Amino acid sequence: MGTVHGRDRILVTGWFSFLHGEATAGDVLALRRVEEVLRAAGLAHDVVWSPGFRADGLHFADVDPAAYTRLVFVCGPAHGEQVEELHRRFAHCVRIAVGVSVVDPGSPAVTGFHHVLARDAAGSAPTLDLAARAPALPARPVVGVILTHGQHEYAGRRRHDEVAAALTRWLAGKDCARLELETRLDAHDWRLCGTPAQLEAVLARLDLVVTDRLHGLVLALRAGTPALAVDPVAGGAKVTAQARACGWPALVGCEDSARDVLEHWWDWCLTGGRAEAARIGAGFRAASAPPDAADGLVAALGARQVG
């Protein structure tokens, strides 16, 4: 991207602009609120992004400070060397901080602004965070991701690493909220569920589960949530067998996990797949449920009685 020039434009910045800053959901929503206000007032503006977050955006390296007459700094703490550098580089601009926390009112990061419209500061009443009134957002699917890198019993047929890499690359490009989940329970690690009921509570609230695990498939369906299941074993193994036992069609072999195949089943799971998953999950608990191995247990025990 070449150097950007403008005339009497506003440059909008924040912690999401710095090379080593961070873009949080709250900060970006705060930016959207500020942009909404500027557009409503007919004020032309550009937004600076960190190249680590938006490689295709406008970066400080592209900006000619002389092209701007005003600078707006959005959200976060008005504190630190990076903010102070803005004051030096854009010394000719009217500089305004909006929706910021003022930790030290005497710091150069704060006193360098001509106006500070604080979110919170000592001696003044706090105001609503900018993110709260940001424009409404479109709904996005919430997707649980349950993958395994184990199952070494399949030896040379294992394609687990390749499948996990392909799925995570593909999911990174999907506009969805991704939740990495584990079927492993742990009573001491707060990051993991401690009981099956806790995991089922999460699965029931998802729109979709993407998994290469047998129990990722079964537990999703049990909760009435569609699962896009990929069998990570060449030629198919227990995931394929279980999908057939459940009567679940959204199954992909590791040899067939091309992007177009994944997209097909993704779309199906988020449309007709929801009703089908609910039907199958309800069937697990019905009197007419398909048989499982426990149905033959008592007979097997009786056959082995001695005397």
Side-chain angles (χ1 to χ4, degrees):
M1 181 180 296
T3 299
V4 174
H5 296 278
R7 184 177 180 183
D8 195 30
R9 289 182 70 87
I10 299 169
L11 189 65
V12 182
T13 71
W15 285 98
F16 48 80
S17 305
F18 299 133
L19 177 61
H20 300 296
E22 62 179 23
T24 69
D27 287 354
V28 174
L29 283 173
L31 166 65
R32 299 304 181 217
R33 168 64 178 148
V34 167
E35 288 193 288
E36 178 183 55
V37 169
L38 295 177
R39 281 194 295 267
L43 295 172
H45 64 279
D46 296 322
V47 177
V48 183
W49 293 99
S50 167
F53 179 66
R54 285 274 303 272
D56 60 340
L58 174 65
H59 309 143
F60 275 126
D62 308 316
V63 171
D64 176 8
Y68 299 92
T69 58
R70 288 162 288 181
L71 180 141
V72 175
F73 185 85
V74 179
C75 201
H79 179 79
E81 174 60 30
Q82 290 163 299
V83 179
E84 293 175 27
E85 174 60 23
L86 287 180
H87 296 314
R88 292 190 287 268
R89 187 175 178 192
F90 295 89
H92 64 286
C93 290
V94 173
R95 299 178 301 283
I96 300 171
V98 56
V100 297
S101 292
V102 177
V103 180
D104 178 4
S107 78
V110 175
T111 60
F113 288 108
H114 296 89
H115 303 283
V116 177
L117 306 174
R119 172 180 59 191
D120 51 87
S124 62
T127 63
L128 193 64
D129 182 76
L130 296 172
R133 291 180 57 197
L137 301 174
R140 292 292 182 262
V142 181
V143 179
V145 183
I146 305 175
L147 302 176
T148 177
H149 294 274
Q151 301 180 346
H152 293 278
E153 62 270 25
Y154 291 104
R157 297 171 61 201
R158 293 183 73 257
R159 302 292 183 271
H160 294 63
D161 290 343
E162 297 93 321
V163 165
L167 285 176
T168 51
R169 275 197 309 271
W170 172 65
L171 286 167
K174 300 296 292 181
D175 189 4
C176 65
R178 295 167 291 272
L179 297 177
E180 185 178 16
L181 299 174
E182 274 275 6
T183 59
R184 181 171 65 87
L185 304 177
D186 194 312
H188 307 289
D189 187 342
W190 67 270
R191 294 166 295 185
L192 298 175
C193 292
T195 67
Q198 293 170 11
L199 180 58
E200 190 166 289
V202 176
L203 295 174
R205 288 163 171 79
L206 300 176
D207 295 302
L208 171 63
V209 170
V210 175
T211 185
D212 66 356
R213 303 200 69 154
L214 180 153
H215 281 127
L217 165 63
V218 172
L219 298 182
L221 295 179
R222 178 184 159 87
T225 299
L228 199 174
V230 180
D231 196 321
V233 178
K238 60 184 180 182
V239 174
T240 296
Q242 194 57 214
R244 290 173 179 165
C246 294
W248 182 247
L251 170 72
V252 179
C254 60
E255 303 89 347
D256 305 318
S257 56
R259 184 176 296 269
D260 59 338
V261 177
L262 295 174
E263 292 287 349
H264 166 77
W265 286 116
W266 172 279
D267 292 340
W268 181 81
C269 284
L270 291 176
T271 52
R274 186 78 193 188
E276 183 65 5
R279 184 190 69 79
I280 290 174
F284 290 164
R285 296 177 289 278
S288 58
D292 63 16
D295 289 322
L297 177 59
V298 172
L301 288 169
R304 292 187 177 276
Q305 286 181 352
V306 178

